[in-house]
């Protein structure tokens, strides 16, 4: 197989060719490494190569639905035993994992050949991927733009053809945002469906789910079939899907009731391309026989955004404190933005956090009541085209100030300054639609149905009912057949 052929196949096709003896796992690994060598110096998608590990693995018997397929895992919450998982921070650069995380073991059981770890922002705390530790990751559709975050490295690598799918996870949009930025499929599953453990429990109140970013719906379905299942480390066991994801996508849905909205209180002026993406999708859905109409947002997104960040700030303070205790890290090991946000979390105290947690039920009830009348909610995934790399950099003077404030434990002064409202607009203004699914535990998927005139992808998002993940994938497969995207590649990087 030549490299130009490798680039045209998804993971499902590559696994079939390995099974039929048309190509070996070693040959596929060599092609993936060749492609990485070509494009990664410009993209900075892979931050840790695992070539020696991979080259040993391809000489072992491999079984599973994706036996022999090259694969990358995210350098956050996807630990590989014996190697460091940095979580994008210098404080953990050399923190070696004692064992594989549950999801990585599931990936390995599926037969993939892992040969690297992908770039992620510090502690996964931003919707862009520009950590001080590894440097910025770039979008292969436009090298001046972000691939999103926090699974930006994985999305960049898949969009550039290094691998057909890569490990990702999502705590506030971190699968869907980079999928939208890079023209890929990204599903955040229902809460509790994908595995955590044995070292890490369910992060962030169970908001975070594991998964992949991929070029095709069938690859996402196949990888979810590989990783979803009973997990002994879960605090509670969710009901498993009635059928496999791969089986579910074989039957197109009919007559769905879908409400769509592009409105956002924290970004009242989404980009025209974001609006166009949703309106075009609404027309396509209507042509496919679904009932589609515009609706008002079924929840208070301004309050949800404030509550999301209140809880996020608190958990980030907990993370920083824990890392200091476990690894002896100092403030100088963290980025100034991380320190400032963690200090805000500390200074807020427990009261606002509990009030925010209590209001989650209000958002959940609002969404459930909406879904008594509609099967799905359709929104843009992004309110703006992917940001330029460096667009949200904190000025040097403010970085110094952030370190001073953190050291002085002056978070109350920060709170009084109104910075929290500024952070809502800065952090979530371009991605105000994705946090709802995490906070309510509902499944949501981003599918790549729109490209701007400049050739930059934008996704649209569907939010489904709890436990109806297979239905989201079935709809995505129907849309993929009606408006194929898998054959679209960025210009040579």
């Amino acid at each position: 197989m030549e490299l130009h052929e490798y680039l045209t196949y998804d993971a499902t096709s590559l696994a079939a060719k390995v099974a039929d003896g048309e190509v070996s796992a070693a040959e596929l690994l060599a092609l993936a490494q060749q492609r990485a060598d070509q494009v990664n110096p410009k993209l900075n998608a892979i931050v840790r190569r695992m070539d020696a590990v991979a080259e040993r693995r391809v000489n072992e018997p491999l079984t599973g639905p994706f036996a022999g397929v090259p694969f990358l895992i995210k350098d956050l919450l996807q630990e590989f035993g014996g190697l460091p998982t940095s979580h994008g921070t210098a404080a953990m650069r050399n923190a070696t994992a004692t064992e594989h995380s549950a999801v990585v073991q599931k990936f390995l059981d599926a037969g993939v050949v892992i040969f690297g770890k992908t770039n992620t922002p510090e502690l996964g705390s931003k919707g862009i991927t520009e950590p001080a530790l590894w440097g910025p990751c770039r979008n292969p559709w436009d090298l001046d733009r972000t691939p999103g975050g926090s699974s930006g490295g994985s999305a960049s690598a898949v969009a550039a053809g290094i691998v057909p799918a890569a490990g990702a996870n999502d705590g506030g949009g971190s699968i869907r945002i980079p999928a939208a930025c890079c023209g890929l499929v990204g599903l955040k599953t229902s809460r509790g469906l994908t595995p955590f453990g044995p070292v890490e429990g369910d992060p962030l109140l169970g908001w975070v789910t594991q998964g992949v970013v991929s070029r095709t719906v069938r690859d996402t379905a196949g990888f979810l079939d590989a990783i979803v299942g009973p997990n002994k480390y879960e605090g509670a066991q969710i009901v498993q899907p009635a059928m496999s994801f791969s089986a579910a996508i074989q039957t197109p849905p009919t007559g769905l009731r879908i409400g769509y909205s592009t409105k956002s209180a924290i970004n009242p002026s989404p980009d025209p391309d974001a609006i166009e993406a949703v309106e075009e999708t609404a027309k396509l859905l209507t042509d496919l026989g679904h009932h589609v109409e515009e609706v008002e947002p079924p929840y208070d997104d301004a309050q949800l955004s404030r509550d999301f960040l209140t809880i996020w700030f608190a958990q980030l303070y907990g993370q920083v404190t824990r890392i200091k205790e476990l690894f002896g890290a100092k403030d100088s090991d963290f980025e100034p933005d991380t320190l400032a946000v963690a200090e805000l979390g500390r200074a807020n105290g427990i009261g606002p956090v509990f009030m925010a947690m209590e209001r989650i039920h209000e958002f959940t009830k609002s969404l459930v009541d909406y879904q008594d009348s509609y099967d799905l909610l359709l929104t843009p995934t992004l309110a703006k085209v992917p940001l330029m790399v460096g667009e949200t950099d904190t000025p040097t003077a403010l970085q110094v100030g952030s370190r001073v404030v953190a050291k002085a434990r002056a978070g109350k002064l920060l709170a009084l300054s109104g910075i929290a409202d500024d952070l809502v607009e800065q952090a979530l203004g371009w991605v105000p639609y994705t946090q709802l699914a995490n906070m309510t535990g509902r499944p949501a998927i981003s599918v790549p149905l729109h490209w701007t005139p400049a050739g930059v992808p934008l996704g649209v998002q569907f939010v489904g009912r709890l436990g109806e993940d297979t239905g989201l994938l079935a709809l995505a497969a129907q849309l993929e057949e009606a408006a194929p995207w898998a054959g679209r590649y960025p210009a040579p990087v």
Side-chain angles (χ1 to χ4, degrees), residues 189-195 202 206 208-209 229 231 234 236-238 240 441:
T189 60
S190 293
R191 182 176 300 162
L193 200 57
T194 54
D202 289 348
V208 185
T209 66
N231 176 24
E234 292 292 347
Q237 189 64 66
I238 191 170
Q240 301 299 301

Side-chain angles (χ1 to χ4, degrees), residues 26 29 36 39 47-48 90 98 103 136 232 255 272 279 321 323 338 373 420 484 491:
L29 174 61
V39 301
V47 295
R48 192 182 300 276
T98 57
V103 71
K232 64 183 179 181
E279 291 177 344
T321 302
I323 290 169
T338 299
S373 300

Side-chain angles (χ1 to χ4, degrees), residues 293-373:
E293 62 184 272
E294 188 169 9
V295 297
E296 289 297 311
Y299 64 104
D300 182 348
D301 76 315
Q303 185 63 58
L304 181 139
S305 297
R306 288 191 292 270
D307 289 343
F308 175 84
L309 288 183
T310 295
I311 297 169
W312 192 280
F313 294 169
Q315 69 86 30
L316 192 61
Y317 169 66
Q319 279 186 285
V320 169
T321 302
R322 184 166 177 258
I323 290 169
K324 287 179 177 180
E325 291 175 351
L326 290 176
F327 303 106
K330 300 179 175 58
D331 280 354
S332 58
D333 295 315
F334 297 95
E335 296 173 20
D337 291 354
T338 299
L339 294 175
V341 167
E343 172 56 18
L344 271 174
R346 185 202 65 80
N348 275 341
I350 197 67
V353 176
F354 268 94
M355 290 174 64
M357 290 170 62
E358 286 292 325
R359 274 191 294 269
I360 291 174
H361 176 68
E362 297 176 16
F363 306 130
T364 304
K365 184 178 185 302
S366 295
L367 183 57
V368 169
D369 289 347
Y370 161 84
Q371 291 181 327
D372 285 342
S373 300

